[in-house]
Amino acid sequence: MQALVLRADNFGIEEVELPVLRSGEARVRLLAAALNRRDEWIRQGRYARIRYPAILGSDGCGIVEAVGSDEHREWVGKTVIINPSIGWGTDPRAQGADYEILGMPRAGTLAEYVHVPVDRLHEKPPHMTVEQAAALPLAGLTAYRALFTQGKLQPRQKVLITGIGGGVAVFALQFAVAVGARVFVTSGRAEKLERAQALGAIGGVNYHHPEWERLLREFADGEFELVVDSAGGEPFNALLGLTAPGGTIVVYGATLGTVPAFNLHRLFWRQLHIVGSTMGTDEEFVAMVRFVCEHRIVPVVDSVFPFEQVMDAFERLRSEEHMGKIVVRIAEA
Amino acid sequence: MQALVLRADNFGIEEVELPVLRSGEARVRLLAAALNRRDEWIRQGRYARIRYPAILGSDGCGIVEAVGSDEHREWVGKTVIINPSIGWGTDPRAQGADYEILGMPRAGTLAEYVHVPVDRLHEKPPHMTVEQAAALPLAGLTAYRALFTQGKLQPRQKVLITGIGGGVAVFALQFAVAVGARVFVTSGRAEKLERAQALGAIGGVNYHHPEWERLLREFADGEFELVVDSAGGEPFNALLGLTAPGGTIVVYGATLGTVPAFNLHRLFWRQLHIVGSTMGTDEEFVAMVRFVCEHRIVPVVDSVFPFEQVMDAFERLRSEEHMGKIVVRIAEA
């Protein structure tokens, strides 16, 4: 089969052999896959414990072509999405030591076929196209846990989602709007602020503005009960001041790195909660899929690239110009 | 009356006039008061919004001598402790804008008399001496909220309390032991580690040891579900690694200041909760007093100074040699 293979000294589409399908696994013929920052970090060698060669890709939608055990044959022929969270373990508070994410070391979805445990399969939400469904799993799961489990979002709460445009941030915006929260955003690009408004945000500010913090406070008429951030870095201390006393900041990434001079006085005097979040449990994945179906949430697909142009898809991801998910079309149904 | 008065250019015992007792207030003739770091910070001018002159002191035990309203006359003659948390407000998650702590700007307990709202009075726990009771309010309240409300401590959990010796840390140790937690501590002094063991801690390590983090992990056989810290500063990133996945760090102070290069990757990948805590609600004060009575917890009094030697008491506080509370004896019953 054709697959996007990362080697220590090469990255590109190659012809590779499909391994033997094992008991308990399903072979999914992929129709579409979606990119995540994780793929780009692994490509750059910035991810922990990279093993080469690796077939990247955590998100996919496809058709079950075969199963390794006869008891699972009802899946054959179904159009599915794949939960990329594998082996979370028994503690809902945190993943266990055996946890992994689909797409390195286990071969991922940027390929014509992927083998996954049957319990990772979920039927494609019927209101989504194949491309939209491929965009959902990793980012949808991450947004769901961040907002609801870790952030304990309540309707009518005032929420700030920083760096709108990334896949998780856009899902967090859509999910928060769906439950009736009042959502504000930040971005470095005016057009993304407009897109966020079109998706239901009240509005936001450009974080390149030297007074973005003051402007945001004025625009939102005060502080936020929940802040959802994946940037970290220097602006993080400003977020401490933008969070209402007793409020929560959920952190699901740190693209700007560590926080210099993290202000604990603000933390304790304002009785803040800072909660880390990454991926989610199997129960959260089920709840997330149910939630997007109930609310008819349609994933925002930024762009679709044919598989042969997957390098352009990575280029688009690096550009930071995207709004929503970057999808790769692998095959037609 | 005699009172410890802080002026912009002077700090010492002075004769000051006792103000008129207002409706809703009680006049308490103080038998003992206790020091808190807050008093020292105000003295050093390092506290926000200091107003001079100020009578310091948040903790006290005394006898109600008079009340401003006849309806409260049942309090007269009772031996009481005082809840120093005033005007928290209606939101249990955080204190409101009108919140203040007894002892600047409102005249505090390092005086022969103090006027406080009657609803701040609580009967002295009968199993405590006057000195022990004076040691309880501020630190007991802070420890109670930090451990139970913010830290959600459960019996059998493994808890790390850093910097044992300070008043709040020692109460946190006693409270955690009382509910059956397995308590570990750090200190810069071997004798404090021994005292902590005598109070029920399993043990601890000296944070001056260059490998304190590894030693503590080995000694405790792994990570902690709850960490209670008031130091912050550079060691804080080590605490992120010492907290079990899904675990919580409660921060109630930052004596070492801000955290350089705060590691958000550890935070989100380990699904940690970092929760700020300061003082507590009226409900928490009631619950704390009930808790110490039920468990017969006796506050650890480091030393008792006569009022005329209150400057020596401050010197003892600054020395960081104390274990538990430093009490000032103001009058005999």
Side-chain angles (χ1 to χ4, degrees), chain B residues 216-292:
Chain B
L216 182 57
R217 185 186 294 272
E218 284 174 14
F219 179 50
D221 194 22
E223 297 147 351
F224 302 90
E225 282 136 310
L226 177 62
V227 176
V228 180
D229 182 59
S230 70
E234 195 277 332
F236 194 81
N237 279 315
L239 298 183
L240 297 176
L242 285 167
T243 307
T248 299
I249 304 176
V250 174
V251 176
Y252 67 90
T255 51
L256 298 178
T258 59
V259 183
F262 174 53
N263 187 333
L264 291 172
H265 286 88
R266 273 189 179 172
L267 177 80
F268 70 78
W269 186 252
R270 297 169 74 87
Q271 315 258 3
L272 302 181
H273 300 242
I274 301 181
V275 186
S277 192
T278 199
M279 300 295 285
T281 65
D282 290 0
E283 292 72 22
E284 286 164 337
F285 192 87
V286 170
M288 182 275 290
V289 174
R290 190 186 305 129
F291 182 88
V292 297

Side-chain angles (χ1 to χ4, degrees), chain A residues 9 22 29 64 93-94 99 111 127 130-131 146 157 195 208 227 257 259 281 285 300 317:
Chain A
D9 56 356
R22 289 180 297 184
R29 183 168 72 87
V64 178
R93 295 176 305 171
Y99 182 71
H127 70 286
V130 161
E131 286 91 350
Q157 280 190 334
R195 289 290 302 279
H208 292 315
V227 176
V259 183
T281 65
F285 193 86
V300 175
L317 182 67

Side-chain angles (χ1 to χ4, degrees), chain B residues 83-330:
Chain B
N83 179 353
S85 193
I86 300 175
W88 178 280
T90 56
D91 184 352
R93 295 176 306 172
Q95 69 277 29
D98 298 332
Y99 182 73
E100 62 180 71
I101 299 170
L102 183 63
M104 206 293 292
R106 190 186 288 259
T109 56
L110 287 162
E112 288 182 285
Y113 298 91
V114 66
H115 288 177
V116 294
V118 170
D119 65 5
R120 298 302 89 191
L121 301 178
H122 296 258
E123 293 200 43
K124 179 183 85 67
H127 69 286
M128 294 182 190
T129 66
V130 162
E131 287 90 349
Q132 290 162 352
L136 179 66
L138 188 147
L141 176 62
T142 303
Y144 190 88
R145 179 175 173 85
L147 269 190
F148 298 118
T149 308
Q150 306 294 66
K152 297 186 169 58
L153 177 65
Q154 299 297 320
R156 301 299 304 151
Q157 280 190 332
K158 206 158 63 171
V159 181
L160 174 64
I161 299 169
T162 67
I164 202 69
V168 179
V170 173
F171 277 120
L173 162 58
Q174 294 178 290
F175 294 178
V177 167
V179 297
R182 294 172 288 157
V183 183
F184 297 79
V185 298
T186 66
S187 170
R189 293 165 193 269
E191 63 270 25
K192 292 192 185 183
L193 298 176
E194 283 170 27
R195 289 290 302 282
Q197 277 190 300
L199 289 166
I202 295 173
V205 302
N206 190 316
Y207 55 65
H208 291 315
H209 192 290
E211 295 202 71
W212 70 270
E213 188 182 347
R214 181 180 63 75
L215 292 176
L216 182 57
R217 185 186 294 272
E218 284 174 14
F219 179 50
D221 194 22
E223 297 147 351
F224 302 90
E225 282 136 310
L226 177 62
V227 176
V228 180
D229 182 59
S230 70
E234 195 277 332
F236 194 81
N237 279 315
L239 298 183
L240 297 176
L242 285 167
T243 307
T248 299
I249 304 176
V250 174
V251 176
Y252 67 90
T255 51
L256 298 178
T258 59
V259 183
F262 174 53
N263 187 333
L264 291 172
H265 286 88
R266 273 189 179 172
L267 177 80
F268 70 78
W269 186 252
R270 297 169 74 87
Q271 315 258 3
L272 302 181
H273 300 242
I274 301 181
V275 186
S277 192
T278 199
M279 300 295 285
T281 65
D282 290 0
E283 292 72 22
E284 286 164 337
F285 192 87
V286 170
M288 182 275 290
V289 174
R290 190 186 305 129
F291 182 88
V292 297
C293 288
E294 275 175 13
H295 291 277
R296 309 280 299 177
I297 289 168
V298 176
V300 175
V301 173
D302 170 81
S303 45
V304 180
F305 293 82
F307 194 30
E308 314 84 76
Q309 291 170 27
V310 66
M311 291 307 167
D312 296 336
F314 274 85
E315 184 59 41
R316 175 83 183 159
L317 183 67
R318 280 191 294 277
S319 76
E320 298 287 346
E321 286 175 7
H322 58 289
M323 176 81 184
K325 299 293 295 179
I326 297 162
V327 173
V328 177
R329 185 79 205 200
I330 296 177

Side-chain angles (χ1 to χ4, degrees), chain A residues 176-197:
Chain A
V177 167
V179 298
R182 293 172 289 158
V183 183
F184 297 79
V185 298
T186 65
S187 172
R189 294 165 193 268
E191 63 271 24
K192 292 192 187 184
L193 298 175
E194 283 168 28
R195 289 290 302 279
Q197 275 189 302

